[in-house]
Amino acid sequence: MAVNRMFRTCPASGLKFHQPAEALIRWNAVAAVVSLLVGGILALLIVLTRWQAVHLLSPDVFYMVLTAHGLDMLVFWIIFFEIAVLYFAGSTLLGCRIAAPRVAWAGFWLMVIGALMNNYAVLVREDSSVMFTSYAPMGAHWSFYLGLILFAVGALIGCFIFFATLSIGKAERTYVGSVPVVTFGAVTAAVIAVFTIASGAIILIPTFLWSIGLVPSIDSLMYRQIWWAFGHSSQQINVSAHVAVWYAVAAIVVGAKPMSEKVSRTAFLLYILFICLASAHHLLVDPGLTSSWKILNTSYFLYLAVLASMVHGLTVPGAIECAQRAKGFNKGLFEWLRKAPWGNPAFSGMFLSLIGFGFLGGISGVILGTEQLNIIMHNTLYVPGHFHATVVLGTTLAFMAITYFLIPVLFRRELAFPTMAKWQPYVFALGMAVFTLFMMGAGTLGVPRRHWDVSFSGNPLGFEFPGTAWLMIALFGIGGLLAVVGGIMYLLVTVYSVFLGKRIQTPGFAHVTARSGAAAPVTAPVGAALTGTGSVAHPQAASGTFVLAMVFFVSFVLYYFINWKYLSTVWPLK
């Protein structure tokens, strides 16, 4: 029996939005932005405390704020947005109805309740300042762990709804052959998410039972090893999701298609097989694990995940170059790049995300993943410098970029403050680049990661850092303030546009049968580029991209061996 389903056609993109899916995408995106707002306020307080000349917060408040900031940014903001990306990549890009909308809503509300419960435990009860890692035997209130469990279950439901939606699209023939690369990237993120959430359940459920007295103790080494399969792998969901966003924005703005879909899909597959093993770099100084295990995970296997990121770092700008050259921008190596739409915040945000993630996040991640080099910066400011380069400069900036496409297409509102929107990616990227670069520099000089007062004032056994370290702390404080300004610009544009912006008039919902799926094939240029499959038909030589790739490679090699030089100074021969 055919059941009528509601679809809306976006006149600008040609995309078909299924009404229940559209509502779910909107609400998950809104919840994500609210989490970003809370996390951003907390970030400002942390920067003004880390900046030793200001040193705003007392130690108890600092650790409470740092705990909430880590969870609101690394878990709630990003995963809410990723669930929205999954529904968009599953239902909208494939032109099919979403599976089990009521179950999807149940998952969403579990995520909301879990996020609120966790923030309540940290910020209201003020007895759960156990940091993002929450290492046992440090204990938090039971609501801290239960909140994370509920949020994880809700996110897991979202992943299964996404998989079921793909099955519906296949069964109802809303797409033929392979799914688009953007959707394939979302599949990668969802597969990694299932592993990640399962790992979290394995350790958080017994820890919750420990918090209410039903389990006598938690082995600290076992906790760390399993928790990092959740804590670090959750950031690998981000990598897969933001790479999918890179491909999406390249298709949206310049009509780029992958240079080779097979190569891009193989790189995503390498993420599934190997990227979660990078979790081991947090355990390289743990005495309970053998060197063989550490080296196997962080060297041989990790390099295959690094290869995947390097492939995407080549194919995304390569696809853009091919698309630009096809439009006639063929002078020299870089006319295609100079004439790119840098005034479009979706494009500039995406490209700056790609550069920042590769040069700062990617290279520093390989350094931390090398057992011998890890020892000189483990638990220093280098570590948060690295993951801010990946999760913030990479993932968050990519998500900001796709937002500028979604506001008119999904929320049907004109973009408010267009000049501010144009400059926002540059301000945010510059601030975060300065922040991460000088934070990693301070960490290389030994400045600790978790200490409230790095000057150790009043301690009988103080330690004096080189003067350069204090300069770097001041500079990353300035960079952090600039990044906060960029975040405020994004929130102003986004919130005003969504709630107060001028409404874009679009055709009403069209009744179509569930059997037929979408009302009609996607024909508008933007939608066709996003939903189509297949590589560039006749890719021209992406010579400019290969020059950029060689610049990256040389930078990578030089920095890698510079750190071996640093290592040689740790135990000098006399």
Side-chain angles (χ1 to χ4, degrees), residues 182 239-252 271 309 312-314 316-317 320 349-358 393-395 397-398 402:
V182 176
V239 173
S240 302
H242 81 230
V243 170
V245 167
W246 291 351
Y247 283 104
V249 173
I252 290 164
Y271 277 160
S309 290
H312 293 307
L314 179 67
V316 174
I320 294 170
M350 177 277 293
F351 211 91
L352 291 170
S353 164
L354 188 153
I355 293 172
F357 177 79
L393 192 52
T395 303
L397 187 53
I402 195 70

Side-chain angles (χ1 to χ4, degrees), residues 209 281 337 357 446 494 523:
L209 297 176
H281 84 67
L337 190 58
F357 177 79
T494 302
T523 56

Side-chain angles (χ1 to χ4, degrees), residues 114 144-154 197 200-201 204-206 208-209:
F144 177 93
Y145 305 109
L146 184 59
L148 285 177
I149 292 168
L150 292 177
F151 185 87
V153 171
I197 295 168
L204 287 175
I205 290 175
F208 165 70
L209 297 176

